[in-house]
Amino acid sequence: MNLRDAPTVQPCVSQRYRLLVEKGEIHRDPQQEKVAAALDRLILEVAQSRLATKSSSLGWLFGGRSSSPPAKGLYIHGGVGTGKTMLMDMFFDCLPVKAKRRSHFNDFMTDIHDRIDAHRRAVKRGEAKGDDPIPPVAKAVAKQTKVLCFDEFSVTDIADAMILSRLFTALFADGVVLVATSNVAPDDLYRDGLNRQLFLPFVAILKDHTEIMRLDGGIDYRQEKLARLPVYVTPLDEEADRVMDEAWAAATEGVREEPVEIEIKGRVIVAPRTAHRAARFTFPELCQKPHGARDYLAIVERFDTIFLDHVPVMADAHRNEVKRFIVLVDVLYDRRVRLFASAAAAPEALYAGRRGTEAFEFARTASRLTEMQSRDWLDAWASAHGGKAQI
């Protein structure tokens, strides 16, 4: 096909962005508009590259080579609440390519390590050759994925840091295009990490294969909206549900929510509603299931804002739920995780039991729930997560 015959790719991200501004759902931001335009340019480049390399209707999707260099990706960094994830969602939806993958970086690297282990086992069984698993693993990923999107790109694990340079050298060589959002600039990735000098070649490779864009206008739009909303709503009624839904919409900025599975020690914890770094649960989902401190810690490693709907008044018959709720609040408090909750009563009235040690323990929980609604607490949360206090 001659490129002149190719259909025009419309500036989809910019159009969707302008529509949200016109509806009053977001504020117009020149930096966001600039990133939206860059994402539209990348969509056009990817579409043209796909057409240029087609030898059949699906050729490019299955790894067709091109004599021209692949499109250069984007690395978008900035503070929390500046719209990075919103723009990434628009880009992924608009991208007219089937061989695309959107993944949390930790999930992607878990998949890579699983593939590496599988290759090594296959070599031992005589079903595969080669002592170095990186090239075949990268080849398999590149065959399946031509555009790879990471939200909240952050490197903290030394096992990941040690293989990223070689992995992405191979992926980029196979024409994979990377689009990533992050809270930190490339030069600050894995800062102070163990053996960081071995990680630095990846930073150079990343800069060579992506355009680096900063998105940080100094305004955290999510916090601006959330600052006007209560974080603890009682009693449980339609108004409480409305306030929680309004806060959830502000926290997620209209980003499409999706379920997330968190693996821990061979088990899977399902977060049924997530977007950005926020997750929403009902009380039964978190406190009536057999969860413990390790589970709650795994959740807060992934999310810094938790919504908890319909916390009931608990009595002696609910000792298991009470204990889990106490542990949950302790974890949220200790890890500085912001909690939005709807409850049947004020914190000090949530426990009505008369036996055991739960009444004494719950007094601390009620105190913490009250503190977590305070300006000082919310200021500390904002500071810990790189934001600005808006309360």
Side-chain angles (χ1 to χ4, degrees), residues 7 32 56 110 145 147 215 222 234 239-240 287 316 373:
Q32 291 177 348
S56 67
T110 296
T145 306
V147 180
L215 179 55
R222 274 179 283 163
T234 188
E239 176 63 13
C287 297
D316 291 326
Q373 301 174 52

Side-chain angles (χ1 to χ4, degrees), residues 185-345:
D187 288 330
D188 291 326
L189 287 169
Y190 198 55
R191 181 170 291 280
D192 302 322
L194 187 63
N195 293 325
R196 188 172 187 262
Q197 69 277 7
L198 300 178
F199 172 77
L200 293 178
F202 170 71
V203 176
I205 294 167
L206 182 65
K207 290 179 176 180
D208 284 343
H209 290 85
T210 62
E211 178 185 356
I212 312 300
M213 299 191 73
R214 181 175 175 81
L215 179 55
D216 194 354
I219 301 174
D220 186 335
Y221 294 108
R222 274 179 283 163
Q223 302 314 315
E224 192 177 60
K225 295 176 183 177
L226 288 169
R228 300 190 294 268
L229 300 170
V231 297
Y232 190 96
V233 189
T234 188
L236 295 178
D237 55 19
E238 291 184 0
E239 176 63 13
D241 290 340
R242 185 195 66 76
V243 172
M244 288 289 283
D245 288 341
E246 185 179 354
W248 177 252
T252 60
E253 287 187 313
V255 170
R256 181 183 62 247
E257 62 183 61
E258 58 186 4
V260 167
E261 293 184 349
I262 304 171
E263 293 186 11
I264 174 171
K265 300 294 184 182
R267 296 181 296 107
V268 174
I269 304 169
V270 177
R273 303 179 64 183
T274 74
H276 287 304
R277 286 185 57 82
R280 189 169 183 177
F281 301 88
T282 63
F283 180 85
E285 287 166 345
L286 278 189
C287 297
Q288 289 183 0
K289 294 182 178 180
H291 293 315
R294 186 186 297 272
D295 300 332
Y296 299 139
L297 285 168
I299 290 171
V300 302
E301 285 178 2
R302 190 70 168 270
F303 305 103
D304 56 38
T305 299
I306 298 297
F307 282 70
L308 185 61
D309 288 297
H310 299 165
V311 180
V313 172
M314 292 162 276
D316 291 326
H318 310 106
R319 291 188 67 186
N320 289 333
E321 292 93 329
V322 171
K323 288 181 180 295
R324 293 185 191 116
F325 186 68
I326 289 171
V327 172
L328 171 64
V329 173
D330 283 346
V331 169
L332 298 178
Y333 181 91
D334 292 338
R335 294 302 177 96
R336 289 284 177 186
V337 174
R338 182 174 51 177
L339 173 66
F340 284 82
S342 63

Side-chain angles (χ1 to χ4, degrees), residues 105-106 108-117 120 132-135 137-138 141 150 153 155 157-172 190 194-203 205:
F105 176 71
N106 291 336
F108 175 77
M109 291 309 299
T110 296
D111 178 41
I112 293 297
H113 289 298
D114 288 344
R115 289 173 185 253
I116 289 173
D117 290 341
R120 287 171 174 162
D132 185 359
I134 298 297
V137 166
V141 172
F150 289 146
F153 185 49
V155 183
D157 188 284
I158 187 173
D160 296 343
M162 294 304 98
I163 68 171
L164 278 174
S165 178
R166 296 177 56 241
L167 175 67
F168 273 88
T169 295
L171 289 175
F172 289 141
Y190 198 55
L194 187 63
N195 293 325
R196 188 172 187 262
Q197 69 277 7
L198 300 178
F199 172 77
L200 293 178
F202 170 71
V203 176
I205 294 167

